[in-house]
Amino acid sequence: MKKYVVWAGMALGLFAGSASGAFADDGPQLLTPHYTYNAKTIISGARLFATNCMACHSIKFMRYEFLTHDLGISRADVQKDIMLPTGSTFKDNMISAMPTQMAHKWFGLPPPDLSQMVRYKGQDWVYTYLLSFYQDPKRPSGWNNHVFPNVAMPDVLAPYGGIVNEHGKLLRAGDESPQKFKEQVTDIVAFLRFVSDPSVVQRHDDGPWVLGLLAFFTIVAYFLKKEYWKEVK
């Protein structure tokens, strides 16, 4: 529980930044995450999101039980690795541990729900945003972001990726290599992509079967046509 309290005390949320910096679209060129979109990647992202982001950010359109139904995570693993220790039940929505009233009191606005963030901004934007934090002593949180200038949210992933200044100079190394850190960010993006459209995994699984059936019926229709028209001159 302690780690969630720590992050809750740090995180100020995306929308608590100044209005001039809100979702700036004229920032650096966006990067594209490269990954295999499957249950393994999404599950890894879910664990990282729960550990580092969910103290402040909710995913109100996703229930814990859907992670088992759609991704195949066991109920025990969901309860151990993803559910926050706040009295939530397996059928509850994935709601932040931060009370809304306290968020208003502390930060002026509560951190945004991220259920549809990938649909709204695109996975390239989210990926680049998470990789674009830098230390800025002038900001109240001590952080700034090249993609979202003057954002109030701190870099909660700094323990993994390290701390850099505005020009990208490494000030303190993180616990992970640069490549491993990018993989972790990619996993988080994959998870947010999943929660914005949970049926996509099932559609990907069903797609080859549907195409196979269409191909089969196309062949059947072709031979039926030849049989029906063989006497026609």
Side-chain angles (χ1 to χ4, degrees), residues 108-190:
L109 287 174
D113 181 273
L114 300 182
S115 299
Q116 298 294 308
M117 185 58 67
V118 167
R119 279 196 169 189
Y120 172 46
K121 296 299 293 183
Q123 63 175 358
D124 290 3
W125 190 95
V126 176
Y127 177 71
T128 309
Y129 166 76
L130 292 176
L131 292 177
S132 296
F133 280 95
Y134 63 90
Q135 192 174 64
D136 185 354
K138 297 179 182 179
R139 298 293 303 154
S141 68
W143 297 94
N144 211 326
N145 190 284
H146 291 295
V147 174
F148 192 158
N150 298 326
V151 67
M153 175 179 166
D155 185 7
V156 296
L157 301 179
Y160 304 106
I163 299 173
V164 299
N165 65 14
E166 183 177 2
H167 306 290
K169 181 181 178 181
L170 184 64
L171 303 178
R172 188 171 69 192
D175 295 336
E176 306 292 350
S177 68
Q179 181 61 34
K180 178 63 176 178
F181 174 59
K182 288 181 180 179
E183 291 177 4
Q184 291 175 320
V185 173
T186 296
D187 290 347
I188 294 174
V189 172

Side-chain angles (χ1 to χ4, degrees), residues 200-219:
V200 70
V201 175
Q202 187 63 48
R203 296 203 310 270
H204 283 186
D205 291 341
D206 293 344
W209 293 99
V210 173
L211 293 176
L213 286 173
L214 289 174
F216 172 75
F217 284 117
T218 299
I219 294 171

Side-chain angles (χ1 to χ4, degrees), residues 25-180:
D25 289 317
D26 55 352
Q29 181 177 356
L30 299 183
L31 306 173
T32 299
H34 300 285
Y35 59 96
T36 301
Y37 190 58
N38 56 24
K40 180 180 179 181
T41 303
I42 297 169
I43 291 169
S44 175
R47 290 191 170 105
L48 287 165
F49 183 90
T51 301
N52 299 284
C53 310
M54 206 170 147
C56 299
H57 293 285
S58 297
I59 305 178
K60 63 183 179 182
F61 297 149
M62 175 62 62
R63 293 181 183 175
Y64 291 108
E65 64 175 332
F66 292 164
L67 300 178
T68 294
H69 179 269
D70 296 335
L71 300 176
I73 315 178
S74 70
R75 179 167 182 164
D77 284 342
V78 171
Q79 293 172 329
K80 177 170 68 77
D81 298 335
I82 299 176
M83 288 181 67
L84 297 180
T86 55
S88 299
T89 67
F90 192 60
K91 292 185 177 296
D92 282 345
N93 297 75
M94 298 179 67
I95 302 299
S96 165
M98 181 183 293
T100 301
Q101 291 182 342
M102 297 305 296
H104 276 287
K105 180 179 179 180
W106 293 337
F107 312 129
L109 287 174
D113 181 273
L114 300 182
S115 299
Q116 298 294 308
M117 185 58 67
V118 167
R119 279 196 169 189
Y120 172 46
K121 296 299 293 183
Q123 63 175 358
D124 290 3
W125 190 95
V126 176
Y127 177 71
T128 309
Y129 166 76
L130 292 176
L131 292 177
S132 296
F133 280 95
Y134 63 90
Q135 192 174 64
D136 185 354
K138 297 179 182 179
R139 298 293 303 154
S141 68
W143 297 94
N144 211 326
N145 190 284
H146 291 295
V147 174
F148 192 158
N150 298 326
V151 67
M153 175 179 166
D155 185 7
V156 296
L157 301 179
Y160 304 106
I163 299 173
V164 299
N165 65 14
E166 183 177 2
H167 306 290
K169 181 181 178 181
L170 184 64
L171 303 178
R172 188 171 69 192
D175 295 336
E176 306 292 350
S177 68
Q179 181 61 34
K180 178 63 176 178

